[in-house]
Amino acid sequence: MSKLYIVPTPIGNLKDMTFRAVEVLKDVDLILAEDTRTSGKLLKHYEISTQMQSHHMHNEHKTVDNLVQKLKTGTTIAIISDAGTPAISDPGFLLTRACIEHGIEVDCLPGATAFVPALVNSGFPNDKFVFEGFLPVKKGRQTRLKLLAEETRTIIFYESPHKLIKTLAHFCEYFEEDRPVSVSRELTKLYEETIRGTAKEVLEHYTNKPPKGEIVIVVGGKSK
């Protein structure tokens, strides 16, 4: 029976792959990978020989219809991203939506997602929070920051290392310098670290020590 499996992959440490995820990737007919070179290393590590096909942000709009047709003929497909859960700031949403619209079963496996350990590590309230993913690069960035400045729930962002200092400077400007911030970097990897402090303190830290690796920023909500 046709089915789309959404399979989380480790965000760093390969040991975080679940037994079920390995089993599914071995059993499906096709694996859609964000980057076949990156995913190839993971599949090789777990001795998974399933056929792979590239599926990323630059081609997903063009390939969705064809993939839906494959699924309708009984093909079982798994989608993975370079790290974490597909569709969370990664390709996967468009195909998932198309499958639901066409009555194709979708099964999302539980697994690694970078913002969860970063949120817990921050020590900020996590009973209610807002996941923002990546901020707009240019258009709409200022408007979004002004809106989020009034948010009372904990806010989570993804950011690239070369934009972190700019983003922290914007937090100082729009959220005020004393807003609590926690930056988790290289989660589950050898050089994992979490730096906590005010927006100004964390900005000063990374200004003196330029960051590397994958980054999650957690910002405390505005005090009521």
Side-chain angles (χ1 to χ4, degrees), residues 84-154:
T85 301
I88 304 294
S89 294
D90 274 325
F93 164 70
L94 292 178
L95 182 56
T96 300
R97 181 177 64 181
C99 286
I100 293 169
E101 290 173 349
H102 286 83
I104 297 168
E105 186 176 355
V106 176
D107 189 354
C108 182
L109 278 61
T113 301
F115 77 77
V116 174
L119 172 62
V120 176
N121 282 341
S122 73
F124 300 160
N126 54 33
D127 54 332
K128 295 178 182 179
F129 59 89
V130 179
F131 176 69
E132 280 290 312
F134 290 95
L135 280 164
V137 178
K138 294 180 180 179
K139 186 177 180 181
R141 186 180 180 92
Q142 183 181 42
T143 301
R144 194 71 197 153
L145 286 166
K146 285 182 177 179
L147 180 66
L148 291 172
E150 301 303 314
E151 177 60 64
T152 58
R153 294 168 292 182
T154 300

Side-chain angles (χ1 to χ4, degrees), residues 64-211:
V64 164
D65 290 342
N66 180 256
L67 291 169
V68 167
Q69 291 307 313
K70 282 187 176 183
L71 284 158
K72 283 185 173 181
T73 63
T75 303
T76 53
I77 298 177
I79 182 170
I80 59 177
S81 59
D82 290 347
T85 301
I88 304 294
S89 294
D90 274 325
F93 164 70
L94 292 178
L95 182 56
T96 300
R97 181 177 64 181
C99 286
I100 293 169
E101 290 173 349
H102 286 83
I104 297 168
E105 186 176 355
V106 176
D107 189 354
C108 182
L109 278 61
T113 301
F115 77 77
V116 174
L119 172 62
V120 176
N121 282 341
S122 73
F124 300 160
N126 54 33
D127 54 332
K128 295 178 182 179
F129 59 89
V130 179
F131 176 69
E132 280 290 312
F134 290 95
L135 280 164
V137 178
K138 294 180 180 179
K139 186 177 180 181
R141 186 180 180 92
Q142 183 181 42
T143 301
R144 194 71 197 153
L145 286 166
K146 285 182 177 179
L147 180 66
L148 291 172
E150 301 303 314
E151 177 60 64
T152 58
R153 294 168 292 182
T154 300
I155 316 168
I156 306 167
F157 302 90
Y158 284 163
E159 192 52 279
S160 59
H162 66 280
K163 293 179 182 174
L164 178 62
I165 291 174
K166 175 184 176 181
T167 296
L168 290 171
H170 280 158
F171 289 168
C172 288
E173 179 181 352
Y174 293 100
F175 297 171
E176 297 186 353
E177 294 182 345
D178 62 350
R179 182 73 70 92
V181 169
S182 175
V183 174
S184 289
R185 187 180 66 84
E186 291 290 81
L187 286 164
T188 79
K189 299 177 184 178
L190 182 62
Y191 297 106
E192 174 181 344
E193 70 172 9
T194 295
I195 302 298
R196 307 173 185 86
T198 64
K200 182 180 180 181
E201 290 169 343
V202 177
L203 172 60
E204 289 174 350
H205 172 85
Y206 283 112
T207 298
N208 295 322
K209 186 180 179 182

Side-chain angles (χ1 to χ4, degrees), residues 11-22:
I11 58 175
N13 193 321
L14 291 181
K15 293 179 181 179
D16 291 334
M17 192 74 169
T18 68
F19 290 113
R20 185 182 171 205
V22 173

